[in-house]
């Protein structure tokens, strides 16, 4: 048993978690190709909502009928949000090749990581003092905001658009994965 204490390092931990998510994304590309290219962003929002509701259900019930925990669901949220950002950029359409999909995925994750680093600097790692269940609630709130913006054809008066909400959901999911992996 390793008795060394984990020293928090947000950039390093974030890179580890994004690598986990990317690995799943790449493996699913091998299994399914880019079949997600037919999905509209609003359908992806609903997929993310299903994953977030399952996480909340598992948190509240403390048990799962299907033998999968909440970590795969947070990974799914990261990956579906990245896909949604790709779809916002390209629009739904024909399949793209695997290499292009990975390149676009990496670009979206890099943008979300840059946003996290900037916000984390300003908020002084406040996320480390939050509960995973709070991340779940914030993700659900951002999903409801996204659905509202989508019902207004993406137009807002003062608020950020759906892309900012997707990026925030990526980051909160990655924070949850870090906390689930390393604890408080």
């Amino acid at each position: 048993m390793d008795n060394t204490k984990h020293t928090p390092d947000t950039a390093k931990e974030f890179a580890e978690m994004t690598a986990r998510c990317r690995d799943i994304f790449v493996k699913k590309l091998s299994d399914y190709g880019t079949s997600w290219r037919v999905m509209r962003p609003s359908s992806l929002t609903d997929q993310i909502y299903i994953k977030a509701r399952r996480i909340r259900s598992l948190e509240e019930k403390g048990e799962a009928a299907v033998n999968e925990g909440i970590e795969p669901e947070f990974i799914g949220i990261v990956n579906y949000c990245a896909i949604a950002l790709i779809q916002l950029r390209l629009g739904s359409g024909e399949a793209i090749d695997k290499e292009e999909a990975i390149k676009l995925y990496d670009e979206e994750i890099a943008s979300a990581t840059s946003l996290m680093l900037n916000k984390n600097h300003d908020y002084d790692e406040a996320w480390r003092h939050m509960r995973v269940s709070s991340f779940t609630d914030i993700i659900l709130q951002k999903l409801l905001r996204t659905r509202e913006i989508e019902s207004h054809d993406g137009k807002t008066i003062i608020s950020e658009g759906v892309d900012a909400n997707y990026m925030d959901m990526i980051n909160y999911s990655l924070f949850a994965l870090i906390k689930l992996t390393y604890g408080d």
Side-chain angles (χ1 to χ4, degrees):
M1 182 164 134
D2 184 8
N3 289 332
T4 58
K5 183 167 172 39
H6 173 73
T7 303
D9 179 340
T10 299
K12 181 176 175 265
E13 294 162 343
F14 218 74
E16 288 172 22
M17 297 308 128
T18 57
R20 280 177 65 190
C21 295
R22 185 184 192 275
D23 181 60
I24 299 294
F25 178 80
V26 170
K27 286 176 179 170
K28 291 204 177 213
L29 272 179
S30 293
D31 288 347
Y32 304 129
T34 57
S35 58
W36 46 264
R37 286 283 297 129
V38 302
M39 296 182 81
R40 292 171 283 203
S42 58
S43 297
L44 290 159
T45 299
D46 288 343
Q47 282 296 127
I48 298 162
Y49 181 78
I50 290 167
K51 296 208 165 289
R53 286 296 309 166
R54 181 165 188 273
I55 293 168
R56 183 147 177 189
S57 174
L58 293 174
E59 289 171 345
E60 291 174 351
K61 293 176 184 170
E63 63 180 322
V66 177
N67 191 20
E68 294 174 358
I70 63 175
E71 287 186 35
E73 301 299 349
F74 279 118
I75 291 169
I77 290 172
V78 170
N79 289 343
Y80 274 123
C81 285
I83 289 168
L85 288 164
I86 293 168
Q87 293 297 80
L88 285 174
R89 188 191 312 185
L90 301 181
S92 58
E94 300 297 315
I96 56 177
D97 66 45
K98 182 179 173 182
E99 292 75 25
E100 178 69 8
I102 293 169
K103 177 181 144 306
L104 292 168
Y105 177 91
D106 289 342
E107 289 172 4
E108 297 304 342
I109 294 297
S111 293
T113 301
S114 177
L115 176 67
M116 178 280 300
L117 290 170
N118 290 333
K119 285 186 173 184
N120 197 43
H121 173 271
D122 291 352
Y123 288 96
D124 199 26
E125 302 235 320
W127 69 271
R128 291 204 181 267
H129 305 285
M130 295 173 65
R131 297 173 187 97
V132 172
S133 60
S134 294
F135 298 140
T136 305
D137 291 350
I138 292 168
I139 290 167
L140 283 164
Q141 176 194 41
K142 293 205 170 276
L143 284 161
L144 294 175
R145 287 179 179 179
T146 300
R147 289 168 76 169
E148 188 67 25
I149 294 168
E150 288 170 344
S151 73
H152 298 297
D153 297 320
K155 295 178 181 70
T156 61
I157 296 169
I158 193 170
S159 304
E160 296 175 309
V162 294
D163 57 338
N165 284 290
Y166 287 135
M167 289 209 303
D168 284 346
M169 287 185 274
I170 288 171
N171 290 335
Y172 282 117
S173 294
L174 291 166
F175 287 154
L177 288 167
I178 291 167
K179 290 199 67 112
L180 290 166
T181 301
Y182 295 110
D184 290 329

PDB file of all heavy atoms in Angstrom, residues 18-34 36 75 79 83 98-103 105-106:
ATOM      1  N   THR A  18      -8.307  14.430 -18.127  1.00  0.00           N
ATOM      2  CA  THR A  18      -8.640  14.616 -19.548  1.00  0.00           C
ATOM      3  C   THR A  18      -8.076  13.467 -20.371  1.00  0.00           C
ATOM      4  O   THR A  18      -8.693  13.037 -21.342  1.00  0.00           O
ATOM      5  CB  THR A  18      -8.157  15.979 -20.097  1.00  0.00           C
ATOM      6  OG1 THR A  18      -6.756  16.099 -19.914  1.00  0.00           O
ATOM      7  CG2 THR A  18      -8.872  17.135 -19.438  1.00  0.00           C
ATOM      8  N   ALA A  19      -6.920  12.937 -19.967  1.00  0.00           N
ATOM      9  CA  ALA A  19      -6.362  11.774 -20.679  1.00  0.00           C
ATOM     10  C   ALA A  19      -7.273  10.558 -20.521  1.00  0.00           C
ATOM     11  O   ALA A  19      -7.463   9.802 -21.486  1.00  0.00           O
ATOM     12  CB  ALA A  19      -4.952  11.465 -20.161  1.00  0.00           C
ATOM     13  N   ARG A  20      -7.842  10.360 -19.329  1.00  0.00           N
ATOM     14  CA  ARG A  20      -8.797   9.256 -19.127  1.00  0.00           C
ATOM     15  C   ARG A  20      -9.998   9.413 -20.050  1.00  0.00           C
ATOM     16  O   ARG A  20     -10.440   8.453 -20.689  1.00  0.00           O
ATOM     17  CB  ARG A  20      -9.305   9.234 -17.673  1.00  0.00           C
ATOM     18  CG  ARG A  20      -8.380   8.608 -16.688  1.00  0.00           C
ATOM     19  CD  ARG A  20      -8.912   8.683 -15.272  1.00  0.00           C
ATOM     20  NE  ARG A  20     -10.129   7.907 -15.067  1.00  0.00           N
ATOM     21  CZ  ARG A  20     -10.869   7.973 -13.969  1.00  0.00           C
ATOM     22  NH1 ARG A  20     -10.535   8.767 -12.962  1.00  0.00           N
ATOM     23  NH2 ARG A  20     -11.954   7.243 -13.859  1.00  0.00           N
ATOM     24  N   CYS A  21     -10.527  10.632 -20.095  1.00  0.00           N
ATOM     25  CA  CYS A  21     -11.703  10.890 -20.936  1.00  0.00           C
ATOM     26  C   CYS A  21     -11.363  10.710 -22.411  1.00  0.00           C
ATOM     27  O   CYS A  21     -12.144  10.115 -23.164  1.00  0.00           O
ATOM     28  CB  CYS A  21     -12.234  12.297 -20.678  1.00  0.00           C
ATOM     29  SG  CYS A  21     -12.865  12.539 -19.005  1.00  0.00           S
ATOM     30  N   ARG A  22     -10.217  11.204 -22.823  1.00  0.00           N
ATOM     31  CA  ARG A  22      -9.793  11.097 -24.222  1.00  0.00           C
ATOM     32  C   ARG A  22      -9.637   9.626 -24.615  1.00  0.00           C
ATOM     33  O   ARG A  22     -10.018   9.222 -25.717  1.00  0.00           O
ATOM     34  CB  ARG A  22      -8.487  11.847 -24.437  1.00  0.00           C
ATOM     35  CG  ARG A  22      -8.025  11.888 -25.892  1.00  0.00           C
ATOM     36  CD  ARG A  22      -6.664  12.587 -25.989  1.00  0.00           C
ATOM     37  NE  ARG A  22      -6.298  12.912 -27.338  1.00  0.00           N
ATOM     38  CZ  ARG A  22      -5.690  12.076 -28.184  1.00  0.00           C
ATOM     39  NH1 ARG A  22      -5.410  10.841 -27.816  1.00  0.00           N
ATOM     40  NH2 ARG A  22      -5.374  12.480 -29.400  1.00  0.00           N
ATOM     41  N   ASP A  23      -9.061   8.827 -23.721  1.00  0.00           N
ATOM     42  CA  ASP A  23      -8.888   7.403 -23.992  1.00  0.00           C
ATOM     43  C   ASP A  23     -10.238   6.739 -24.284  1.00  0.00           C
ATOM     44  O   ASP A  23     -10.363   5.975 -25.246  1.00  0.00           O
ATOM     45  CB  ASP A  23      -8.197   6.725 -22.805  1.00  0.00           C
ATOM     46  CG  ASP A  23      -7.967   5.250 -23.052  1.00  0.00           C
ATOM     47  OD1 ASP A  23      -7.262   4.900 -24.015  1.00  0.00           O
ATOM     48  OD2 ASP A  23      -8.502   4.438 -22.264  1.00  0.00           O
ATOM     49  N   ILE A  24     -11.238   7.047 -23.490  1.00  0.00           N
ATOM     50  CA  ILE A  24     -12.590   6.499 -23.711  1.00  0.00           C
ATOM     51  C   ILE A  24     -13.152   7.014 -25.040  1.00  0.00           C
ATOM     52  O   ILE A  24     -13.725   6.255 -25.822  1.00  0.00           O
ATOM     53  CB  ILE A  24     -13.539   6.856 -22.541  1.00  0.00           C
ATOM     54  CG1 ILE A  24     -13.033   6.268 -21.220  1.00  0.00           C
ATOM     55  CG2 ILE A  24     -14.976   6.459 -22.842  1.00  0.00           C
ATOM     56  CD1 ILE A  24     -13.029   4.765 -21.139  1.00  0.00           C
ATOM     57  N   PHE A  25     -12.986   8.315 -25.296  1.00  0.00           N
ATOM     58  CA  PHE A  25     -13.464   8.903 -26.546  1.00  0.00           C
ATOM     59  C   PHE A  25     -12.859   8.177 -27.747  1.00  0.00           C
ATOM     60  O   PHE A  25     -13.573   7.790 -28.675  1.00  0.00           O
ATOM     61  CB  PHE A  25     -13.115  10.404 -26.588  1.00  0.00           C
ATOM     62  CG  PHE A  25     -13.528  11.090 -27.854  1.00  0.00           C
ATOM     63  CD1 PHE A  25     -14.843  11.488 -28.043  1.00  0.00           C
ATOM     64  CD2 PHE A  25     -12.604  11.346 -28.850  1.00  0.00           C
ATOM     65  CE1 PHE A  25     -15.223  12.126 -29.231  1.00  0.00           C
ATOM     66  CE2 PHE A  25     -12.976  11.986 -30.030  1.00  0.00           C
ATOM     67  CZ  PHE A  25     -14.289  12.370 -30.224  1.00  0.00           C
ATOM     68  N   VAL A  26     -11.547   7.972 -27.727  1.00  0.00           N
ATOM     69  CA  VAL A  26     -10.858   7.316 -28.848  1.00  0.00           C
ATOM     70  C   VAL A  26     -11.332   5.877 -29.001  1.00  0.00           C
ATOM     71  O   VAL A  26     -11.574   5.408 -30.127  1.00  0.00           O
ATOM     72  CB  VAL A  26      -9.323   7.409 -28.663  1.00  0.00           C
ATOM     73  CG1 VAL A  26      -8.587   6.527 -29.668  1.00  0.00           C
ATOM     74  CG2 VAL A  26      -8.867   8.858 -28.785  1.00  0.00           C
ATOM     75  N   LYS A  27     -11.482   5.155 -27.903  1.00  0.00           N
ATOM     76  CA  LYS A  27     -11.948   3.766 -27.984  1.00  0.00           C
ATOM     77  C   LYS A  27     -13.372   3.695 -28.535  1.00  0.00           C
ATOM     78  O   LYS A  27     -13.685   2.810 -29.334  1.00  0.00           O
ATOM     79  CB  LYS A  27     -11.862   3.108 -26.605  1.00  0.00           C
ATOM     80  CG  LYS A  27     -10.439   2.778 -26.212  1.00  0.00           C
ATOM     81  CD  LYS A  27     -10.357   2.214 -24.813  1.00  0.00           C
ATOM     82  CE  LYS A  27      -8.900   1.884 -24.477  1.00  0.00           C
ATOM     83  NZ  LYS A  27      -8.726   1.562 -23.060  1.00  0.00           N
ATOM     84  N   LYS A  28     -14.224   4.625 -28.121  1.00  0.00           N
ATOM     85  CA  LYS A  28     -15.595   4.631 -28.647  1.00  0.00           C
ATOM     86  C   LYS A  28     -15.609   5.012 -30.121  1.00  0.00           C
ATOM     87  O   LYS A  28     -16.459   4.521 -30.876  1.00  0.00           O
ATOM     88  CB  LYS A  28     -16.488   5.531 -27.807  1.00  0.00           C
ATOM     89  CG  LYS A  28     -16.724   4.924 -26.427  1.00  0.00           C
ATOM     90  CD  LYS A  28     -17.977   5.413 -25.794  1.00  0.00           C
ATOM     91  CE  LYS A  28     -18.153   4.685 -24.475  1.00  0.00           C
ATOM     92  NZ  LYS A  28     -19.518   4.456 -24.127  1.00  0.00           N
ATOM     93  N   LEU A  29     -14.671   5.866 -30.542  1.00  0.00           N
ATOM     94  CA  LEU A  29     -14.555   6.167 -31.974  1.00  0.00           C
ATOM     95  C   LEU A  29     -14.260   4.902 -32.766  1.00  0.00           C
ATOM     96  O   LEU A  29     -14.779   4.715 -33.868  1.00  0.00           O
ATOM     97  CB  LEU A  29     -13.435   7.181 -32.226  1.00  0.00           C
ATOM     98  CG  LEU A  29     -13.752   8.657 -32.159  1.00  0.00           C
ATOM     99  CD1 LEU A  29     -12.492   9.469 -32.417  1.00  0.00           C
ATOM    100  CD2 LEU A  29     -14.860   9.063 -33.101  1.00  0.00           C
ATOM    101  N   SER A  30     -13.417   4.044 -32.196  1.00  0.00           N
ATOM    102  CA  SER A  30     -13.093   2.783 -32.870  1.00  0.00           C
ATOM    103  C   SER A  30     -14.316   1.881 -32.960  1.00  0.00           C
ATOM    104  O   SER A  30     -14.505   1.189 -33.956  1.00  0.00           O
ATOM    105  CB  SER A  30     -11.964   2.058 -32.134  1.00  0.00           C
ATOM    106  OG  SER A  30     -10.771   2.796 -32.247  1.00  0.00           O
ATOM    107  N   ASP A  31     -15.145   1.890 -31.921  1.00  0.00           N
ATOM    108  CA  ASP A  31     -16.349   1.050 -31.908  1.00  0.00           C
ATOM    109  C   ASP A  31     -17.478   1.616 -32.774  1.00  0.00           C
ATOM    110  O   ASP A  31     -18.125   0.878 -33.503  1.00  0.00           O
ATOM    111  CB  ASP A  31     -16.880   0.895 -30.475  1.00  0.00           C
ATOM    112  CG  ASP A  31     -16.019   0.001 -29.613  1.00  0.00           C
ATOM    113  OD1 ASP A  31     -15.141  -0.706 -30.156  1.00  0.00           O
ATOM    114  OD2 ASP A  31     -16.210   0.018 -28.385  1.00  0.00           O
ATOM    115  N   TYR A  32     -17.718   2.933 -32.664  1.00  0.00           N
ATOM    116  CA  TYR A  32     -18.911   3.534 -33.270  1.00  0.00           C
ATOM    117  C   TYR A  32     -18.627   4.513 -34.402  1.00  0.00           C
ATOM    118  O   TYR A  32     -19.557   5.001 -35.039  1.00  0.00           O
ATOM    119  CB  TYR A  32     -19.723   4.290 -32.219  1.00  0.00           C
ATOM    120  CG  TYR A  32     -20.132   3.475 -31.019  1.00  0.00           C
ATOM    121  CD1 TYR A  32     -19.888   3.945 -29.728  1.00  0.00           C
ATOM    122  CD2 TYR A  32     -20.777   2.254 -31.152  1.00  0.00           C
ATOM    123  CE1 TYR A  32     -20.287   3.217 -28.612  1.00  0.00           C
ATOM    124  CE2 TYR A  32     -21.167   1.516 -30.044  1.00  0.00           C
ATOM    125  CZ  TYR A  32     -20.912   2.011 -28.776  1.00  0.00           C
ATOM    126  OH  TYR A  32     -21.300   1.286 -27.676  1.00  0.00           O
ATOM    127  N   GLY A  33     -17.368   4.847 -34.616  1.00  0.00           N
ATOM    128  CA  GLY A  33     -17.072   5.888 -35.583  1.00  0.00           C
ATOM    129  C   GLY A  33     -17.600   7.225 -35.077  1.00  0.00           C
ATOM    130  O   GLY A  33     -17.739   7.429 -33.875  1.00  0.00           O
ATOM    131  N   THR A  34     -17.900   8.099 -36.001  1.00  0.00           N
ATOM    132  CA  THR A  34     -18.444   9.411 -35.620  1.00  0.00           C
ATOM    133  C   THR A  34     -19.950   9.453 -35.870  1.00  0.00           C
ATOM    134  O   THR A  34     -20.492  10.430 -36.397  1.00  0.00           O
ATOM    135  CB  THR A  34     -17.724  10.555 -36.375  1.00  0.00           C
ATOM    136  OG1 THR A  34     -17.840  10.328 -37.782  1.00  0.00           O
ATOM    137  CG2 THR A  34     -16.262  10.660 -35.973  1.00  0.00           C
ATOM    138  N   TRP A  36     -22.113  10.106 -33.909  1.00  0.00           N
ATOM    139  CA  TRP A  36     -22.672  11.258 -33.204  1.00  0.00           C
ATOM    140  C   TRP A  36     -22.812  12.484 -34.099  1.00  0.00           C
ATOM    141  O   TRP A  36     -23.502  13.437 -33.741  1.00  0.00           O
ATOM    142  CB  TRP A  36     -21.841  11.602 -31.958  1.00  0.00           C
ATOM    143  CG  TRP A  36     -20.354  11.629 -32.167  1.00  0.00           C
ATOM    144  CD1 TRP A  36     -19.483  10.606 -31.910  1.00  0.00           C
ATOM    145  CD2 TRP A  36     -19.558  12.703 -32.669  1.00  0.00           C
ATOM    146  NE1 TRP A  36     -18.188  10.991 -32.227  1.00  0.00           N
ATOM    147  CE2 TRP A  36     -18.211  12.271 -32.689  1.00  0.00           C
ATOM    148  CE3 TRP A  36     -19.845  14.002 -33.101  1.00  0.00           C
ATOM    149  CZ2 TRP A  36     -17.159  13.077 -33.123  1.00  0.00           C
ATOM    150  CZ3 TRP A  36     -18.805  14.809 -33.533  1.00  0.00           C
ATOM    151  CH2 TRP A  36     -17.476  14.340 -33.543  1.00  0.00           C
ATOM    152  N   ILE A  75     -17.260  11.026 -16.969  1.00  0.00           N
ATOM    153  CA  ILE A  75     -16.464  10.909 -18.198  1.00  0.00           C
ATOM    154  C   ILE A  75     -17.373  11.100 -19.418  1.00  0.00           C
ATOM    155  O   ILE A  75     -17.023  11.809 -20.361  1.00  0.00           O
ATOM    156  CB  ILE A  75     -15.723   9.555 -18.249  1.00  0.00           C
ATOM    157  CG1 ILE A  75     -14.632   9.515 -17.181  1.00  0.00           C
ATOM    158  CG2 ILE A  75     -15.154   9.297 -19.648  1.00  0.00           C
ATOM    159  CD1 ILE A  75     -14.007   8.146 -16.956  1.00  0.00           C
ATOM    160  N   ASN A  79     -17.137  13.952 -22.412  1.00  0.00           N
ATOM    161  CA  ASN A  79     -17.057  13.601 -23.829  1.00  0.00           C
ATOM    162  C   ASN A  79     -18.247  14.104 -24.631  1.00  0.00           C
ATOM    163  O   ASN A  79     -18.080  14.609 -25.749  1.00  0.00           O
ATOM    164  CB  ASN A  79     -16.850  12.101 -23.990  1.00  0.00           C
ATOM    165  CG  ASN A  79     -15.446  11.687 -23.551  1.00  0.00           C
ATOM    166  OD1 ASN A  79     -14.547  12.531 -23.429  1.00  0.00           O
ATOM    167  ND2 ASN A  79     -15.254  10.415 -23.307  1.00  0.00           N
ATOM    168  N   ILE A  83     -18.183  16.776 -27.705  1.00  0.00           N
ATOM    169  CA  ILE A  83     -18.885  16.486 -28.957  1.00  0.00           C
ATOM    170  C   ILE A  83     -19.873  17.605 -29.280  1.00  0.00           C
ATOM    171  O   ILE A  83     -19.969  18.047 -30.435  1.00  0.00           O
ATOM    172  CB  ILE A  83     -19.587  15.112 -28.882  1.00  0.00           C
ATOM    173  CG1 ILE A  83     -18.550  13.987 -28.914  1.00  0.00           C
ATOM    174  CG2 ILE A  83     -20.610  14.949 -30.006  1.00  0.00           C
ATOM    175  CD1 ILE A  83     -19.111  12.610 -28.552  1.00  0.00           C
ATOM    176  N   LYS A  98     -11.685   9.637 -38.215  1.00  0.00           N
ATOM    177  CA  LYS A  98     -11.300   9.495 -36.810  1.00  0.00           C
ATOM    178  C   LYS A  98     -10.243  10.526 -36.405  1.00  0.00           C
ATOM    179  O   LYS A  98     -10.335  11.139 -35.343  1.00  0.00           O
ATOM    180  CB  LYS A  98     -10.800   8.064 -36.572  1.00  0.00           C
ATOM    181  CG  LYS A  98     -10.418   7.753 -35.162  1.00  0.00           C
ATOM    182  CD  LYS A  98      -9.968   6.291 -35.028  1.00  0.00           C
ATOM    183  CE  LYS A  98      -9.418   6.018 -33.659  1.00  0.00           C
ATOM    184  NZ  LYS A  98      -8.942   4.646 -33.497  1.00  0.00           N
ATOM    185  N   GLU A  99      -9.251  10.735 -37.249  1.00  0.00           N
ATOM    186  CA  GLU A  99      -8.179  11.670 -36.932  1.00  0.00           C
ATOM    187  C   GLU A  99      -8.708  13.093 -36.787  1.00  0.00           C
ATOM    188  O   GLU A  99      -8.280  13.842 -35.905  1.00  0.00           O
ATOM    189  CB  GLU A  99      -7.063  11.614 -37.997  1.00  0.00           C
ATOM    190  CG  GLU A  99      -6.286  10.310 -38.004  1.00  0.00           C
ATOM    191  CD  GLU A  99      -7.056   9.133 -38.620  1.00  0.00           C
ATOM    192  OE1 GLU A  99      -7.979   9.346 -39.460  1.00  0.00           O
ATOM    193  OE2 GLU A  99      -6.766   7.987 -38.224  1.00  0.00           O
ATOM    194  N   GLU A 100      -9.622  13.481 -37.657  1.00  0.00           N
ATOM    195  CA  GLU A 100     -10.225  14.819 -37.572  1.00  0.00           C
ATOM    196  C   GLU A 100     -11.042  14.940 -36.287  1.00  0.00           C
ATOM    197  O   GLU A 100     -11.001  15.972 -35.609  1.00  0.00           O
ATOM    198  CB  GLU A 100     -11.099  15.082 -38.796  1.00  0.00           C
ATOM    199  CG  GLU A 100     -11.811  16.429 -38.780  1.00  0.00           C
ATOM    200  CD  GLU A 100     -10.883  17.635 -38.929  1.00  0.00           C
ATOM    201  OE1 GLU A 100      -9.687  17.475 -39.192  1.00  0.00           O
ATOM    202  OE2 GLU A 100     -11.380  18.762 -38.771  1.00  0.00           O
ATOM    203  N   ALA A 101     -11.796  13.904 -35.937  1.00  0.00           N
ATOM    204  CA  ALA A 101     -12.599  13.926 -34.710  1.00  0.00           C
ATOM    205  C   ALA A 101     -11.703  14.085 -33.481  1.00  0.00           C
ATOM    206  O   ALA A 101     -12.025  14.872 -32.573  1.00  0.00           O
ATOM    207  CB  ALA A 101     -13.434  12.654 -34.600  1.00  0.00           C
ATOM    208  N   ILE A 102     -10.597  13.372 -33.454  1.00  0.00           N
ATOM    209  CA  ILE A 102      -9.670  13.466 -32.313  1.00  0.00           C
ATOM    210  C   ILE A 102      -9.048  14.861 -32.254  1.00  0.00           C
ATOM    211  O   ILE A 102      -8.924  15.453 -31.176  1.00  0.00           O
ATOM    212  CB  ILE A 102      -8.591  12.362 -32.396  1.00  0.00           C
ATOM    213  CG1 ILE A 102      -9.241  10.991 -32.196  1.00  0.00           C
ATOM    214  CG2 ILE A 102      -7.488  12.602 -31.368  1.00  0.00           C
ATOM    215  CD1 ILE A 102      -8.323   9.812 -32.516  1.00  0.00           C
ATOM    216  N   LYS A 103      -8.676  15.411 -33.397  1.00  0.00           N
ATOM    217  CA  LYS A 103      -8.105  16.762 -33.445  1.00  0.00           C
ATOM    218  C   LYS A 103      -9.104  17.779 -32.899  1.00  0.00           C
ATOM    219  O   LYS A 103      -8.758  18.634 -32.070  1.00  0.00           O
ATOM    220  CB  LYS A 103      -7.698  17.109 -34.882  1.00  0.00           C
ATOM    221  CG  LYS A 103      -7.153  18.513 -35.077  1.00  0.00           C
ATOM    222  CD  LYS A 103      -6.824  18.734 -36.553  1.00  0.00           C
ATOM    223  CE  LYS A 103      -7.074  20.092 -37.077  1.00  0.00           C
ATOM    224  NZ  LYS A 103      -8.358  20.707 -36.943  1.00  0.00           N
ATOM    225  N   TYR A 105     -11.696  17.183 -30.930  1.00  0.00           N
ATOM    226  CA  TYR A 105     -11.881  16.882 -29.500  1.00  0.00           C
ATOM    227  C   TYR A 105     -10.760  17.531 -28.693  1.00  0.00           C
ATOM    228  O   TYR A 105     -11.022  18.218 -27.690  1.00  0.00           O
ATOM    229  CB  TYR A 105     -11.892  15.366 -29.302  1.00  0.00           C
ATOM    230  CG  TYR A 105     -12.000  14.931 -27.860  1.00  0.00           C
ATOM    231  CD1 TYR A 105     -13.239  14.708 -27.274  1.00  0.00           C
ATOM    232  CD2 TYR A 105     -10.863  14.723 -27.077  1.00  0.00           C
ATOM    233  CE1 TYR A 105     -13.354  14.293 -25.950  1.00  0.00           C
ATOM    234  CE2 TYR A 105     -10.962  14.314 -25.759  1.00  0.00           C
ATOM    235  CZ  TYR A 105     -12.205  14.104 -25.197  1.00  0.00           C
ATOM    236  OH  TYR A 105     -12.300  13.696 -23.889  1.00  0.00           O
ATOM    237  N   ASP A 106      -9.526  17.328 -29.122  1.00  0.00           N
ATOM    238  CA  ASP A 106      -8.380  17.895 -28.406  1.00  0.00           C
ATOM    239  C   ASP A 106      -8.463  19.421 -28.344  1.00  0.00           C
ATOM    240  O   ASP A 106      -8.133  20.022 -27.313  1.00  0.00           O
ATOM    241  CB  ASP A 106      -7.062  17.457 -29.058  1.00  0.00           C
ATOM    242  CG  ASP A 106      -6.746  15.987 -28.829  1.00  0.00           C
ATOM    243  OD1 ASP A 106      -7.328  15.353 -27.914  1.00  0.00           O
ATOM    244  OD2 ASP A 106      -5.884  15.463 -29.576  1.00  0.00           O
TER     245      ASP A 106
END
